[in-house]
Amino acid sequence: MGSKVLSSGQDAWYTYRGNDDDVVVSTRVRLARNLANFPFPAKLRGTDGERIQSIVFDAFNHLDDCEQFQAIAVSQLDALGSRILEERGILGTAGGTPAKDAGIILRTDGRVACTVNIADHVHISSFAPGMDCSTALEISQAVDEGLQQYIQFAASYDFGYLTSSLMDSGSGMRISIRVHLPSLSMQGRIRSIAGELEKKGVLFSASFGSGGMDNVSGSGGTGASLGAYYELSSTNCGSGSEFDQLASIVSAGRKIMEMERNARNECRRDMPSDIRNYLYRSVALARSSLFIPLREAIDIISGIKWGTDLEMLSGMEDASLRALLYRIQEGHLEYVLRNGSFKFEKDVSGNAARKIERLRALILQEAFEDVKVVQ
């Protein structure tokens, strides 16, 4: 199978509105599981990996909603398909090359993804727009309970679920919340916030890599993350019950929401000219650029989202802005180019990289066509 099975449909989860999505972009819950009587993926021998993949794929075929899932052997993915899965946060980029018997099961709306034989035998992930840890957990647990009708997972009465990483043992659950913090970034408060969260056992990291002084539409590099998008993640699956772990990350998320909204009001009051400059440049770049690199596109989307949240720009919904973060990624654009028919300028048509930057510019130009400044 190639990349065609990975195309985004109109019903992708990130196209829907979510709770508190003025600050929280999305929520992810991941459950780590391993099959009993098999070594962890790094120690698989002979046909172990093939047998595990077959067992897991077959278990999905027995779920009540099995018609909504599609199984993909990673070895059958082309490079573009792998890249799209990385961009969607399904296939990790930090774990090296997956084993030859690695697999992925996807639900048609992308809300559920399961990896096989990568870090653990099974990782069940669910995604939700906005702040919705409970729903994401319920979806993951429903899949987990369905699989356990057909699979025996390795577990201990003392330690809970057994995983390849000691920090994942216990519930096997990790919760991640992606947040947008441009106001706190403008105030230069990100470093202190990260330190406070980490003291509470919450990992705070950049979503799209580092920002910097060279961000054309940015706020002067006062934030450490490109576009002021960050991830809050739980770190210890063995501390407390699933309810306790859920409550901890939800508490951190709600505190961040309160801080960003307060900072938003302070920025509107104390630095209106700086904000207008940032927002107007973001709109101008989106509407006038012929080529837009990925880093700049993320920063532009951030600027227009901030303007929308500040009620200084109108014409965009949070769900559309969230979807744009996926639509402007390199792999997605390459897929669109490969499967569409486009006419580019003569000096662009022969350059693959420039065609992607040109298409990204056209997508942003169309997306922000109705954006208006609120006087």
Side-chain angles (χ1 to χ4, degrees):
M1 299 178 188
S3 56
K4 287 191 175 182
V5 297
L6 306 172
S7 58
S8 296
Q10 292 183 342
D11 295 326
W13 66 269
Y14 48 76
T15 62
Y16 291 95
R17 296 183 64 180
N19 302 326
D20 300 300
D21 54 8
D22 61 314
V23 178
V24 181
V25 179
S26 58
T27 304
R28 172 183 179 171
V29 172
R30 185 227 67 194
L31 303 178
R33 302 286 187 261
N34 286 280
L35 277 64
N37 303 318
F38 285 96
F40 294 135
K43 300 294 184 181
L44 292 176
R45 300 180 298 273
T47 61
D48 284 350
E50 184 179 349
R51 289 170 61 199
I52 291 167
Q53 185 187 101
S54 177
I55 290 169
V56 176
F57 282 9
D58 184 65
F60 267 93
N61 285 331
H62 285 87
L63 298 183
D64 292 339
D65 56 349
C66 62
E67 71 283 352
Q68 296 186 37
F69 291 95
Q70 183 172 19
I72 308 165
V74 171
S75 61
Q76 295 178 339
L77 284 173
D78 59 17
L80 177 56
S82 296
R83 185 166 194 170
I84 292 172
L85 289 173
E86 290 172 4
E87 292 170 355
R88 296 188 193 175
I90 296 169
L91 191 62
T93 59
T97 303
K100 64 182 179 65
D101 295 311
I104 299 170
I105 301 103
L106 299 173
R107 206 168 84 174
T108 51
D109 60 358
R111 188 180 284 267
V112 177
C114 177
T115 61
V116 182
N117 287 335
I118 298 185
D120 290 285
H121 295 155
V122 175
H123 274 186
I124 304 164
S125 297
S126 61
F127 303 85
M131 179 77 163
D132 203 351
C133 297
S134 296
T135 298
L137 177 57
E138 289 171 8
I139 293 171
S140 289
Q141 286 178 326
V143 175
D144 180 37
E145 291 167 4
L147 294 179
Q148 292 201 42
Q149 300 300 311
Y150 307 96
I151 300 174
Q152 182 181 356
F153 289 133
S156 159
Y157 181 80
D158 294 321
F159 298 104
Y161 290 104
L162 305 180
T163 60
S164 59
S165 169
L166 185 61
M167 294 297 288
D168 283 342
S169 294
S171 67
M173 179 181 72
R174 286 189 182 270
I175 304 176
S176 300
I177 302 170
R178 177 172 291 176
V179 293
H180 183 234
L181 308 177
S183 306
L184 292 168
S185 295
M186 178 70 86
Q187 292 181 337
R189 297 167 60 188
I190 294 299
R191 188 179 297 276
S192 63
I193 289 170
E196 288 301 313
L197 287 171
E198 288 173 8
K199 289 178 184 177
K200 298 177 181 179
V202 177
L203 179 64
F204 188 80
S205 58
S207 292
F208 298 107
S210 298
M213 295 297 288
D214 59 342
N215 291 337
V216 178
S217 61
S219 55
T222 52
S225 175
L226 188 62
Y229 289 101
Y230 294 90
E231 303 279 343
L232 280 67
S233 304
S234 56
T235 57
N236 191 344
C237 300
S239 176
S241 65
E242 289 183 357
F243 177 80
D244 295 330
Q245 294 168 28
L246 179 71
S248 176
I249 196 74
V250 167
S251 175
R254 296 207 177 283
K255 181 64 175 177
I256 284 291
M257 284 191 284
E258 179 185 5
M259 294 174 69
E260 172 62 22
R261 287 166 181 161
N262 289 338
R264 190 184 297 160
N265 292 330
E266 292 166 2
C267 287
R268 187 191 290 114
R269 180 193 66 211
D270 298 336
M271 50 184 73
S273 297
D274 287 325
I275 292 173
R276 287 195 190 95
N277 179 63
Y278 182 14
L279 306 185
Y280 296 170
R281 293 187 71 192
S282 296
V283 175
L285 282 167
R287 288 180 172 170
S288 304
S289 299
L290 293 179
F291 305 100
I292 300 182
L294 176 60
R295 290 175 60 82
E296 188 171 293
I298 292 171
D299 203 50
I300 289 170
I301 293 168
S302 170
I304 292 177
K305 174 168 170 51
W306 194 26
T308 301
D309 295 333
L310 285 163
E311 299 180 346
M312 297 173 71
L313 296 176
S314 66
M316 286 299 297
E317 297 287 339
D318 282 311
S320 299
L321 290 162
R322 175 171 44 250
L324 276 175
L325 290 172
Y326 293 91
R327 291 178 59 204
I328 52 86
Q329 295 290 329
E330 300 281 326
H332 179 80
L333 292 178
E334 187 177 340
Y335 175 85
V336 172
L337 285 173
R338 181 181 294 184
N339 293 279
S341 179
F342 301 91
K343 282 190 74 173
F344 292 100
E345 296 84 350
K346 287 184 179 180
D347 59 334
V348 176
S349 59
N351 187 318
R354 294 303 262 176
K355 283 197 294 185
I356 286 178
E357 291 186 350
R358 182 75 178 102
L359 180 58
R360 185 181 291 117
L362 291 170
I363 287 173
L364 291 184
Q365 183 178 350
E366 179 183 23
F368 298 138
E369 182 179 8
D370 295 327
V371 170
K372 294 181 176 60
V373 175
V374 178
Q375 302 294 339

